[in-house]
Amino acid sequence: MQRTNPKTISILGSTGSVGQQTIDLITRNIDKYDVVALTANKSAELLAKQAKSLNAKIAVIGDEQKYKDLKDALAGTGIKAASGASAIAEAAAMDSELTVSAIVGAAGLPGTLEAVKRGKTIAFANKETLVCAGSLMMNMVKQTGATLLPVDSEHNAIYQVFDFNHRDGINKIILTASGGSFRDSSLEEMAAVTPEEAVKHPVWSMGAKISVDSSTMMNKALEVIEAHFLFQMPADKIEVLIHPQSIIHSMVEYKDGSILAQLGSPDMRTPIGYCLAYPERMETPVPKLDLAAIGKLTFEKPDLDKFPTINFAYEALEKGGTAPAIINAANEVAVDAFLDHKVGFLDISRLVGEMLHSCKIDKLTDLKLLHEVDAAVRRKTSEKVLGM
């Protein structure tokens, strides 16, 4: 039976790529949603525009220097303005049925955790949340009864075909990957890649950081870790497969030989729409898939010599503890340095590997330790960048 009252929703990171696509879908179904809170990092003007168009209760800007701009833009609307990290956490803790966590990087962790504490439904596009704090997060989910809905196309695909009630019948998870822009490039060609080239993904429309992660295949490494925690599957039951067309978004192989896959046009509004309407379905403007026009789907194993980042994921899971957080922090610093033209493209994976193999790995006991490790790895990686 379909609901008749609007679903209350908060969007953390509303001005980013996923946030904007989420708002696009809400705008097309405006009578079905009541927007409680919107947050952004620096884009005060866009945040104010979104808040006014959706009649949000509160808009929060992370950069406190942008607070006056936001407050002035919302003057006379009745929409509350706030700023700072604590205000974002408070917005995440507000009473909404669905929280969309779309803040890029480790910065999205505090808000996601606040939403989980409420025991409600969280649609998370922030894979770093489970990568950095997977065990802590899943323990909290069990305690609060929260529902985690993955927005990432791969994990969303798995979620749709994963038999949670009969997981003993599952043989393995197969994460598909486009292979990024440089799948067919040589190492010599990859060494000369510029930031401008790396942010142009051949299939998906994504932000700069995620596009670079796709090009190094670090995004797939993080997704392996995320899948391990989210679906409670051992690392040796998670496989990565290159699928350039990005039509099959991931698969689940069962013990009887069956492989269930979720297919669709490569458009993030499909998995976002799935999460927004869950457990129902919603109309989206995504082009319907025409398999006859596509003609063929191809697959290949990833080249681990060119993309060692995938191995880092399995190594980090084997080491356990803070190892996943180490590779995530190192990668974020390395990607920023690459985008600032301070290091080369291949230096990204090199820096991540060096940090994984040189940093002390501790048992992950609490968020305080996680923050300390994250800060320490960022400092050490930044020092390495300065020395290059």
Side-chain angles (χ1 to χ4, degrees):
M1 181 177 177
Q2 289 192 337
R3 61 185 294 160
T4 56
N5 59 314
K7 180 184 291 186
T8 53
I9 182 171
S10 295
I11 306 171
L12 312 180
S14 65
T15 61
S17 176
V18 169
Q20 291 190 56
Q21 291 178 84
T22 300
I23 287 179
D24 172 61
L25 291 175
I26 291 175
T27 302
R28 296 170 187 270
N29 300 269
I30 196 66
D31 59 321
K32 295 183 179 179
Y33 297 93
D34 182 10
V35 178
V36 176
L38 299 177
T39 81
N41 185 25
K42 294 180 179 294
S43 305
E45 183 179 351
L46 178 55
L47 176 61
K49 181 180 178 182
Q50 291 175 335
K52 287 187 284 189
S53 68
L54 297 174
N55 195 30
K57 306 294 186 295
I58 184 173
V60 183
I61 192 80
D63 186 345
E64 295 184 5
Q65 294 183 359
K66 300 283 187 177
Y67 172 67
K68 186 178 184 302
D69 294 339
L70 178 64
K71 187 176 180 181
D72 290 347
L74 294 175
T77 64
I79 300 171
K80 183 181 177 181
S83 67
S86 61
I88 290 178
E90 289 173 7
M94 292 179 72
D95 190 22
S96 57
E97 296 170 74
L98 175 65
T99 297
V100 178
S101 178
I103 299 175
V104 176
L109 177 58
T112 307
L113 285 171
E114 284 298 326
V116 170
K117 287 177 184 177
R118 293 187 294 105
K120 297 296 179 69
T121 301
I122 301 93
F124 68 102
N126 176 276
K127 61 172 62 71
E128 290 80 5
T129 295
L130 280 178
V131 170
C132 297
S135 58
L136 297 178
M137 172 71 72
M138 295 310 296
N139 285 336
M140 191 180 297
V141 167
K142 290 177 183 176
Q143 292 170 10
T144 65
T147 298
L148 291 182
L149 298 176
V151 173
D152 267 357
S153 61
E154 295 85 357
H155 299 86
N156 187 273
I158 293 167
Y159 194 91
Q160 293 191 48
V161 297
F162 192 98
D163 190 344
F164 288 91
N165 294 322
H166 302 92
R167 59 171 57 246
D168 59 333
I170 295 173
N171 190 41
K172 65 179 177 181
I173 285 173
I174 303 169
L175 288 167
T176 57
S178 69
S181 304
F182 314 115
R183 182 186 68 253
D184 298 321
S185 300
S186 66
L187 279 170
E188 291 74 16
E189 291 169 332
M190 291 169 69
V193 166
T194 66
E196 293 74 22
E197 292 170 330
V199 299
K200 294 179 181 178
H201 194 278
V203 180
W204 294 94
S205 174
M206 305 183 293
K209 195 265 182 184
I210 300 175
S211 295
V212 174
D213 282 350
S214 177
S215 296
T216 62
M217 291 201 72
M218 175 54 79
N219 71 322
K220 211 53 52 179
L222 299 178
E223 286 169 13
V224 167
I225 298 171
E226 182 183 0
H228 165 72
F229 288 112
L230 181 61
F231 299 106
Q232 299 292 288
M233 292 290 287
D236 63 356
K237 297 292 185 181
I238 304 172
E239 179 183 321
V240 174
L241 186 66
I242 302 294
H243 170 49
Q245 295 82 16
S246 295
I247 297 301
I248 295 177
H249 299 303
S250 276
M251 297 172 270
V252 175
E253 180 183 282
Y254 288 82
K255 288 183 176 178
D256 62 2
S258 300
I259 296 180
L260 302 187
Q262 186 267 339
L263 288 71
S265 298
D267 191 312
M268 281 302 297
R269 288 175 296 183
T270 295
I272 293 171
Y274 177 86
C275 294
L276 287 178
Y278 184 85
E280 301 170 6
R281 296 273 180 171
M282 72 187 306
E283 284 285 341
T284 73
V286 176
K288 297 299 184 286
L289 195 61
D290 186 342
L291 289 173
I294 293 168
K296 64 178 181 179
L297 303 176
T298 60
F299 308 91
E300 61 189 77
K301 290 184 179 296
D303 186 334
L304 299 180
D305 291 327
K306 292 197 300 184
F307 301 106
T309 48
I310 297 175
N311 278 337
F312 297 156
Y314 293 101
E315 187 175 346
L317 286 175
E318 183 179 358
K319 292 177 181 292
T322 57
I326 288 171
I327 66 173
N328 179 74
N331 180 63
E332 288 193 14
V333 173
V335 170
D336 282 345
F338 170 67
L339 290 172
D340 288 340
H341 297 270
K342 294 178 181 176
V343 302
F345 181 74
L346 293 181
D347 291 325
I348 298 173
S349 57
R350 187 175 299 118
L351 284 164
V352 173
E354 287 181 12
M355 292 302 105
L356 176 60
H357 299 140
S358 65
C359 291
K360 180 176 179 291
I361 297 170
D362 297 300
K363 182 179 180 181
L364 184 57
T365 55
D366 53 52
L367 286 177
K368 182 176 181 293
L369 172 63
L370 180 61
H371 292 315
E372 291 172 354
V373 169
D374 182 80
V377 174
R378 288 173 190 274
R379 285 195 301 271
K380 189 172 180 179
T381 310
S382 296
E383 290 169 2
K384 283 278 188 181
V385 169
L386 290 174
M388 295 179 73

